[in-house]
Amino acid sequence: MHTISTVAEMIALGQRWPAGAVIGLVPTMGYLHTGHLSLVHAARQECDTVVASIFVNPAQFGPREDLSRYPRDLPRDLALLEEAGVDYVFTPSAQDVYPPGFACYIAPVGPLVERLEGASRPGHFRGVATVVAKLFQIVRPDRAYFGQKDAQQVAVIRQLIADLHFVLTLHVLPTIREPDGLAMSSRNAYLAPDERQAATILYRALTEARRLVDSGEGRTDLLRAALARAIAGEARAHLDYADVCDPHTMLPLARIEPDRPVLLVIAARVGPARLIDNFLRHADGRWDGD
Ligand code: AMP
């Protein structure tokens, strides 16, 4: 495994990929867990060359967010990536990605980025779209791997690829969970033991809403209320939003239709951590990850 720590070196490498080789990219912010590694394993199986990036992207954090305390452990991450068979790890510095005079952000507009995470974290998707577009330009992958855990991010990146004519395919993998259902997240490291216990409420709320959908409940207002009520039942959790929406547009659904995909999404604060989770039901009725 080779570690590439400058944009210039990575661009040079990206211009010399062997003809016909399939290049896979797995973008991360590091502090890796089994969720990240599931993306790496998929890339390893499907690509000739696997590039993982580790970059805590300042542009996607708001001024009052957790950029400075975001957990980091580069030596451990490198060992995990090496073990998973990654060929190249790209670890640029913030100064290299955003040098003095940097001016050209990719700023998605419209309902896709104005609701849910976009409403709670103004500018977040501008930062995400900018860094992902940069990574695509720098690495020149054929396939890019992202997690369904960040459902709205997936929708934004799908749109980014279409709108900017990136010639690559997006591969989205199911959310990996702890044994008690909590979605794996680097931010789970912020939780004290009692908060860690309380954090399972997101999964439990989604599981209850899923049960209602499976039993034929089509009224989304009732499903939203069920999600909110579940969170309200856990004193240490504070709801940010709970919604039932279209996973492509992120617009709220008035009703659940049998042949259309549905996304149940939730965001809540538990102690110092802001947590998100979702369940995706595909158009064929299958729940993602089943
Ligand atoms: P992050 O380091 O949080 O930016 O995540 C890097 C990538 O890993 C993103 O595509 C995430 O959606 C994905 N990811 C994060 N947590 C999980 C998880 N629990 N299961 C699957 N993918 C995940």
Side-chain angles (χ1 to χ4, degrees):
M1 188 175 80
H2 303 278
T3 301
I4 311 292
S5 55
T6 69
V7 170
E9 277 175 278
M10 190 69 239
I11 289 175
L13 190 63
Q15 289 185 322
R16 287 188 270 104
W17 295 131
V22 175
I23 313 302
L25 171 65
V26 183
T28 82
M29 298 205 299
Y31 210 70
L32 303 179
H33 52 64
T34 310
H36 297 113
L37 295 176
S38 76
L39 308 182
V40 171
H41 291 312
R44 183 66 284 165
Q45 282 184 355
E46 299 166 5
C47 304
D48 299 305
T49 300
V50 177
V51 182
S53 61
I54 298 178
F55 180 59
V56 182
N57 175 31
Q60 71 189 69
F61 287 79
R64 281 176 299 282
E65 293 184 5
D66 55 345
L67 173 62
S68 61
R69 66 191 169 108
Y70 195 82
R72 297 160 208 247
D73 189 346
L74 187 60
R76 178 172 174 276
D77 288 349
L78 294 178
L80 289 169
L81 294 174
E82 173 133 49
E83 192 183 317
V86 164
D87 298 296
Y88 297 97
V89 187
F90 179 41
T91 59
S93 68
Q95 293 79 352
D96 203 6
V97 175
Y98 300 104
F102 175 81
C104 298
Y105 288 90
I106 306 287
V109 293
L112 187 57
V113 295
E114 285 166 358
R115 306 188 67 248
L116 309 171
E117 287 301 287
S120 296
R121 306 184 66 188
H124 172 66
F125 288 118
R126 183 179 83 142
V128 168
T130 300
V131 81
V132 170
K134 279 174 165 276
L135 289 169
F136 289 171
Q137 294 282 22
I138 294 167
V139 175
R140 304 201 162 274
D142 301 291
R143 304 169 70 107
Y145 293 82
F146 288 87
Q148 180 56 37
K149 158 83 172 21
D150 298 278
Q152 193 169 9
Q153 173 170 282
V154 165
V156 169
I157 289 163
R158 188 183 292 121
Q159 196 66 47
L160 173 78
I161 291 169
D163 289 351
L164 298 188
H165 315 290
F166 283 109
V167 183
L168 56 86
T169 54
L170 171 63
H171 297 265
V172 182
L173 285 128
T175 302
I176 303 293
R177 300 179 178 283
E178 301 287 357
D180 63 5
L182 177 67
M184 289 193 176
S185 166
S186 307
R187 290 190 167 99
N188 293 348
Y190 299 149
L191 299 168
D194 61 326
E195 295 161 347
R196 166 66 188 78
Q197 179 73 27
T200 60
I201 192 60
L202 281 82
Y203 174 76
R204 288 183 280 134
L206 289 164
T207 302
E208 169 60 9
R210 167 182 167 158
R211 192 188 63 73
L212 292 170
V213 172
D214 284 341
S215 67
E217 183 53 68
R219 292 169 293 179
T220 53
D221 50 351
L222 198 142
L223 294 166
R224 286 184 195 94
L227 288 168
R229 206 169 39 243
I231 299 292
E234 170 52 68
R236 277 163 296 198
H238 303 281
L239 184 69
D240 181 350
Y241 60 76
D243 204 3
V244 181
C245 61
D246 178 301
H248 287 257
T249 63
M250 303 308 287
L251 290 171
L253 290 175
R255 274 198 66 78
I256 293 196
E257 310 287 350
D259 303 328
R260 283 185 58 185
V262 181
L263 185 72
L264 312 175
V265 272
I266 203 161
R269 184 165 282 284
V270 180
R274 185 174 174 283
L275 304 176
I276 60 172
D277 200 351
N278 68 85
F279 278 13
L280 170 64
R281 199 193 66 163
H282 295 281
D284 63 6
R286 190 176 50 82
W287 289 93
D288 197 62
D290 273 9

